[in-house]
Amino acid sequence: MSLQPTVTDISRPHSPAQSWSFRVPSPPRIVVPPPNLSANGLPDLHLVSDGTHSFPSSGFTNTEFLKTVTYDNFVKSNAMLEWKYEERRRAQEVLPFLYLGPSSAARDKEFLIKEGITLVLAVRNTLSAQARLLGSKIAQELGIEVQAIDVQGNQELIAAFPRGIEIINVHLSQIYQEQQAQATQAGLNGGHTQARSGKVLVFCESGNERSASLVVAYIMAMYSRDLINAIQIVQAQRFAVAFDDSLRNLMLTYESILQAKRDVILADSVPDSTNGIVAKGSTRNALALGSKAKRSLHDAYDDNDMDMDDGGGQMDFGRFEKREGMAPFTDR
């Protein structure tokens, strides 16, 4: 029995210039290395909110919002937990107001009361939603808000991330407003109330995939961390999280979307020459930076300088003049 001849075995006057691959094309793997060590030799997982990255994510200005609704308790110095196998059945605190765990944690009455959870957020498959699975009747009995994000597959997560972030932030804001109203009423009655912020439990079946990816997305969006660092922070608290290559590339795409939004906001914010304050939004700001505003389609057609018959096509030659091509085949 003879083997199938390969491309190089076939007698032809040309041979491939590069090595051939007979697998399905795939993006490069995203490797998450161990976190860097601090000066004390401990993992450097100190999570802070950079004031220079206070961009609106889901309608919120990150630093000011988190500082307000959490009473300035939104920064966490993460130490890697001594992970035990039994921990996978429990939820872990990733941020002072954000927990990650499996569906069993949403049914743990003692845990919900002890940690003061005010919202349980399920990230589930639509089939589970139709079967009314991954809910939390115990949370409802305790008066805890219950929300769910339903997706047919992991590919829909990239559209679900902004919705999940908004659900978390809206809830934190509502709890803060309720606390402020109660404090005002107590003050009128001559008493006082102890301020408390909202606390959110994000969960899925295992607590290791869909829900974990939402927590990673939240850290990227609200704390301006890159994907690798966000995964390290989450994994330091819940070692069982498991992101396959497909999910990692999906989260990397979301990071690119966030960065593009920030770049637009930065480009649209320029110092005002009159009083030095930052002005946002409009084409006039682009002109203030000395850059040309994009022309409309009508302007492009009316521009006599773009007459290709007058040699205007040579204007584009410089882009290709020094570009070196690569032939797919070479002569034998």
Side-chain angles (χ1 to χ4, degrees):
M1 177 177 177
S2 61
L3 296 175
Q4 179 103 12
T6 62
V7 175
T8 54
D9 293 332
I10 300 175
S11 177
R12 291 185 177 178
H14 308 289
S15 61
Q18 303 293 330
S19 59
W20 286 70
S21 175
F22 295 94
R23 60 178 176 82
V24 177
S26 60
R29 298 200 64 184
I30 300 175
V31 179
V32 180
N36 297 325
L37 299 180
S38 64
N40 298 325
L42 299 175
D44 187 10
L45 295 171
H46 187 59
L47 184 59
V48 298
S49 187
D50 189 349
T52 62
H53 292 83
S54 295
F55 301 111
S57 296
S58 296
F60 298 90
T61 305
N62 304 0
T63 305
E64 297 177 4
F65 171 77
L66 290 175
K67 186 175 182 179
T68 300
V69 299
T70 64
Y71 301 95
D72 208 13
N73 184 27
F74 64 100
V75 176
K76 182 177 180 64
S77 182
N78 286 303
M80 297 186 71
L81 297 180
E82 184 179 350
W83 184 259
K84 297 180 181 179
Y85 186 72
E86 294 77 14
E87 295 293 329
R88 77 191 192 282
R89 299 190 183 94
R90 307 186 184 100
Q92 285 75 38
E93 177 187 313
V94 180
L95 297 172
F97 57 89
L98 191 60
Y99 293 73
L100 171 64
S103 58
S104 59
R107 300 189 296 267
D108 189 340
K109 185 176 182 179
E110 182 181 352
F111 163 78
L112 296 176
I113 296 175
K114 178 182 177 182
E115 298 299 330
I117 301 298
T118 56
L119 167 67
V120 292
L121 176 58
V123 186
R124 60 190 182 181
N125 189 279
T126 51
L127 296 178
S128 300
Q130 294 171 0
R132 296 183 179 181
L133 300 176
L134 286 186
S136 181
K137 293 182 179 179
I138 294 179
Q140 292 175 336
E141 294 172 358
L142 295 174
I144 297 174
E145 182 180 355
V146 179
Q147 294 272 13
I149 295 176
D150 301 329
V151 294
Q152 290 187 348
N154 287 349
Q155 290 302 318
E156 291 188 2
L157 283 172
I158 197 166
F161 287 154
R163 288 189 284 121
I165 294 170
E166 185 173 6
I167 289 174
I168 294 172
N169 287 342
V170 167
H171 176 77
L172 294 176
S173 179
Q174 289 176 344
I175 294 295
Y176 174 77
Q177 292 173 5
E178 292 174 2
Q179 290 292 305
Q180 292 298 105
Q182 293 177 8
T184 301
Q185 185 64 36
L188 294 175
N189 297 331
H192 68 279
T193 59
Q194 183 178 1
R196 67 180 181 89
S197 61
K199 291 190 175 182
V200 181
L201 168 64
V202 182
F203 72 96
C204 60
E205 293 92 336
S206 64
N208 300 331
E209 297 180 10
R210 293 191 181 101
S211 57
S213 68
L214 176 57
V215 175
V216 169
Y218 189 88
I219 293 175
M220 288 194 295
M222 299 300 293
Y223 290 82
S224 299
R225 312 302 292 193
D226 60 46
L227 173 62
I228 300 300
N229 187 234
I231 292 178
Q232 290 173 336
I233 291 170
V234 174
Q235 195 170 41
Q237 302 308 304
R238 185 168 178 79
F239 187 73
V241 295
F243 305 117
D244 58 21
D245 291 343
S246 171
L247 193 51
R248 292 186 185 188
N249 280 285
L250 184 141
M251 292 188 292
L252 182 63
T253 301
Y254 183 65
E255 179 188 2
S256 301
I257 293 173
L258 290 174
Q259 187 58 51
K261 290 182 178 180
R262 292 168 183 148
D263 290 343
V264 169
I265 294 175
L266 279 177
D268 213 23
S269 303
V270 298
D272 193 326
S273 59
T274 58
N275 53 20
I277 64 174
V278 174
K280 289 189 178 181
S282 79
T283 308
R284 289 194 299 273
N285 292 335
L287 296 175
L289 287 173
S291 60
K292 295 181 179 179
K294 290 185 177 181
R295 298 181 306 163
S296 67
L297 184 63
H298 178 73
D299 293 335
Y301 275 109
D302 286 348
D303 193 346
N304 293 329
D305 294 337
M306 293 300 293
D307 189 356
M308 301 301 290
D309 293 336
D310 293 337
Q314 296 298 323
M315 296 170 57
D316 202 40
F317 180 73
R319 292 198 299 132
F320 305 96
E321 184 177 5
K322 296 182 179 180
R323 183 178 298 181
E324 296 182 359
M326 182 176 62
F329 293 91
T330 59
D331 295 333
R332 288 185 181 275

